[in-house]
């Protein structure tokens, strides 16, 4: 029976890994549909290449930093327990690879290709697993200190902070260091609109991410016996809350509507195993409002050219989710309990600090050494022709 149970766990986690792997297609098409046509190929290539580089970085460096596990033993040893540790690595890799996928949307249309691939290796190999190990493997005694002083450790069931907030705040640093796309903001205060190139592709990306998210959240239990329908229903309710709030606040704008469910799902990750479904609905709705309001402020008032809005969507909604778990996870709000508001506040703040400092060190170093931006002429021509020597519609260039 023990062997059967372990086999079930292997299949359960493997299914989750595949579902989250499929989410990277969602990242790709969400970016493809948002950027201008001359940068669509680059969006697709970046996401796939970033995943490959993330795998190498996490396999050789990052997973060891986070969990102290390495894969240099013989295959016979690695295959023990039906290879459970291997599928667990695969599953957690898909989370780690979301960091550069998140950043990619913010820096789209003007970032050099090779420096970003280098940044991916360093982020997934060093920065992300440093905080991942603190939150999910109790490294450096931070969780023990929180438990001793506040009665509970920092709780982030599926990565509102560990994945999304960290990725979003790294993205903010990269966007600021890059600067806005040329021609986006004018000296007289005017703003040039760069509307999405394809609402259907944007919507496709959002739907792929939404469906895969149920693997992201539910399979975070990592064993079949620990799987909970509460996580699934809370994810659904947060998705719905985010959608309706974004619909209302965004005045039917399709870009906001399709990012609304993502905002809700980002926020519910941390406490999806603790909250009452009504609480999850409120958390998701709050995230939808937060995304629309802050996306508008960053783009129009603060003139931060975050193309896909990765900072408000992942950075801020993720931070909201981490803090909200310490509110709506409490029995007083219908939650399961076992959380501390102060621990959630401190843990979330620590994640944002690690992300900002790590992003500043890596992107600051690359900016000083090899540069981050495309040349003005290359940016004007578009990353597709400049970097990949082909456009999304090559027949137009060939005159066919």
């Amino acid at each position: 029976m023990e062997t059967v149970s372990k086999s079930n766990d292997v299949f359960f986690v493997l299914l989750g890994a595949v579902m989250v792997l499929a989410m990277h297609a969602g990242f790709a098409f969400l970016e493809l549909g948002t950027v201008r046509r001359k940068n669509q190929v680059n969006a697709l290539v970046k996401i796939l290449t970033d995943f490959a580089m993330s795998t190498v970085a996490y396999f050789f460096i990052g997973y060891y930093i986070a969990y102290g596990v390495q894969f240099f033993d013989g295959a016979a040893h690695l295959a023990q327990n039906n290879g459970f540790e291997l599928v667990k690595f695969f599953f957690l890799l898909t989370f780690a690879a979301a960091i550069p996928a998140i950043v990619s949307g913010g820096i789209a249309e003007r970032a050099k290709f090779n420096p970003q691939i280098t940044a991916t290796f360093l982020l997934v190999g060093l920065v992300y697993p440093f905080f991942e190990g603190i939150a999910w493997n109790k490294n450096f005694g931070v969780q023990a200190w929180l438990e001793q002083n506040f009665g509970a450790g920092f709780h982030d069931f599926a990565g509102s902070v560990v994945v999304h907030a960290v990725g979003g705040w790294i993205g903010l640093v990269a966007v600021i260091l890059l600067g806005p796309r040329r021609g986006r903001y004018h000296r007289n205060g005017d703003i040039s609109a760069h509307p999405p190139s394809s609402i259907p592709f944007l919507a496709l990306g959002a739907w792929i991410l939404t469906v895969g998210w149920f693997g992201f959240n539910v399979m975070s239990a990592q064993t079949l016996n620990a799987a909970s329908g509460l996580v699934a229903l809370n994810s659904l309710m947060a998705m719905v809350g985010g959608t309706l709030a974004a619909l209302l606040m965004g005045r039917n704008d399709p870009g906001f509507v399709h990012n609304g469910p993502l905002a809700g799902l980002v926020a519910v990750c941390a406490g999806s195993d603790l909250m009452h479904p009504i609480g999850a609905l409120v958390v998701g709705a709050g995230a939808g409002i937060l995304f629309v309001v802050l996306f508008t402020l960053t783009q129009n008032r603060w003139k931060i050219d975050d193309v896909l809005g990765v900072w408000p969507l992942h950075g801020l909604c993720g931070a909201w989710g981490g803090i909200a778990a310490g509110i709506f996870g409490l029995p007083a709000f219908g939650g399961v309990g076992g959380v501390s508001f102060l621990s959630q506040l401190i843990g979330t703040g620590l994640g944002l600090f690690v992300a900002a400092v790590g992003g500043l060190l890596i992107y600051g170093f690359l900016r000083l050494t090899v540069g981050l931006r495309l040349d003005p002429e290359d940016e004007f021509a578009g990353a597709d022709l400049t970097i990949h020597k082909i456009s999304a519609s090559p027949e137009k260039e060939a005159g066919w």
Side-chain angles (χ1 to χ4, degrees):
M1 290 299 293
E2 183 178 350
T3 302
V4 173
S5 176
K6 186 59 67 175
S7 297
N8 289 338
D9 290 342
V10 168
F11 184 75
F12 177 72
V13 176
L14 177 61
L15 181 60
V18 172
M19 290 182 71
V20 185
L21 174 62
M23 290 177 68
H24 287 264
F27 282 120
F29 278 93
L30 188 70
E31 183 174 339
L32 183 155
T34 304
V35 300
R36 289 170 289 179
R37 291 187 184 277
K38 61 184 178 179
N39 297 294
Q40 289 182 325
V41 172
N42 183 244
L44 295 172
V45 174
K46 275 192 303 179
I47 299 300
L48 180 58
T49 308
D50 278 340
F51 187 89
M53 183 60 79
S54 297
T55 301
V56 174
Y58 201 59
F59 183 87
F60 287 103
I61 304 173
Y63 198 69
Y64 181 79
I65 290 176
Y67 301 102
V69 176
Q70 51 80 24
F71 300 104
F72 298 108
D73 296 319
H77 177 78
L78 297 178
Q80 291 179 0
N81 295 320
N82 299 94
F84 177 77
E85 194 63 46
L86 302 181
V87 294
K88 180 181 176 182
F89 161 80
F90 184 10
F91 181 66
L92 292 173
L93 161 68
T94 59
F95 283 54
I99 299 297
I102 290 168
V103 174
S104 175
I107 64 175
E109 300 204 341
R110 75 272 203 202
K112 289 182 176 179
F113 187 73
N114 289 334
Q116 174 55 23
I117 296 300
T118 303
T120 292
F121 184 88
L122 296 173
L123 290 170
V124 178
L126 300 174
V127 177
Y128 170 77
F130 176 77
F131 183 68
E132 178 189 18
I134 291 174
W136 287 345
N137 198 45
K138 300 186 177 181
N139 293 353
F140 306 112
V142 175
Q143 291 284 35
W145 181 83
L146 290 173
E147 291 174 8
Q148 181 179 356
N149 287 276
F150 305 110
F154 172 62
H155 184 87
D156 191 358
F157 180 71
S160 285
V161 178
V162 174
V163 179
H164 297 287
V166 167
W169 283 80
I170 291 173
L172 175 64
V173 171
V175 166
I176 291 174
L177 290 178
L178 265 174
R181 289 166 288 179
R182 299 186 188 280
R184 179 79 167 110
Y185 303 113
H186 302 278
R187 292 181 179 178
N188 64 1
D190 290 343
I191 302 174
S192 295
H194 293 329
S197 59
S198 174
I199 293 296
F201 276 138
L202 185 158
L204 175 64
W207 269 110
I208 294 171
L209 284 165
T210 297
V211 173
W213 224 296
F214 288 85
F216 196 98
N217 284 0
V218 175
M219 273 73 167
S220 285
Q222 297 188 22
T223 61
L224 190 59
N225 288 337
S228 171
L230 180 64
V231 176
L233 185 57
N234 282 343
S235 300
L236 177 66
M237 296 300 280
M239 167 205 157
V240 168
T243 303
L244 295 177
L247 173 70
L248 178 64
M249 295 296 297
R251 300 179 181 179
N252 303 330
D253 182 283
F256 286 138
V257 169
H258 286 93
N259 276 283
L262 309 184
L265 286 163
V266 164
V268 82
C269 287
S272 56
D273 62 327
L274 301 176
M275 298 178 187
H276 188 279
I278 297 176
L281 182 68
V282 173
V283 170
I289 295 170
L290 186 65
F291 171 70
V292 174
V293 172
L294 268 297
F295 180 88
T296 304
L297 286 174
T298 54
Q299 296 286 333
N300 298 339
R301 181 175 297 181
W302 301 332
K303 293 181 170 56
I304 298 174
D305 193 14
D306 180 355
V307 180
L308 267 69
V310 300
W311 179 60
L313 180 63
H314 298 276
L316 294 181
C317 292
W320 158 240
I323 296 169
I327 301 173
F328 293 94
L330 296 172
F333 290 89
V336 174
V339 288
S340 162
F341 175 75
L342 288 177
S343 291
Q344 294 305 113
L345 196 63
I346 294 170
T348 299
L350 178 60
L352 306 190
F353 176 78
V354 170
V357 172
L360 183 61
L361 289 174
I362 290 173
Y363 282 103
F365 173 76
L366 291 172
R367 184 185 182 189
L368 290 173
T369 53
V370 296
L372 297 174
R373 281 196 76 123
L374 292 171
D375 294 333
E377 295 82 1
D378 293 339
E379 184 178 337
F380 178 78
D384 292 358
L385 292 177
T386 298
I387 298 172
H388 309 292
K389 313 304 180 187
I390 193 170
S391 73
S393 303
E395 67 275 7
K396 294 181 180 180
E397 283 72 34
W400 293 348

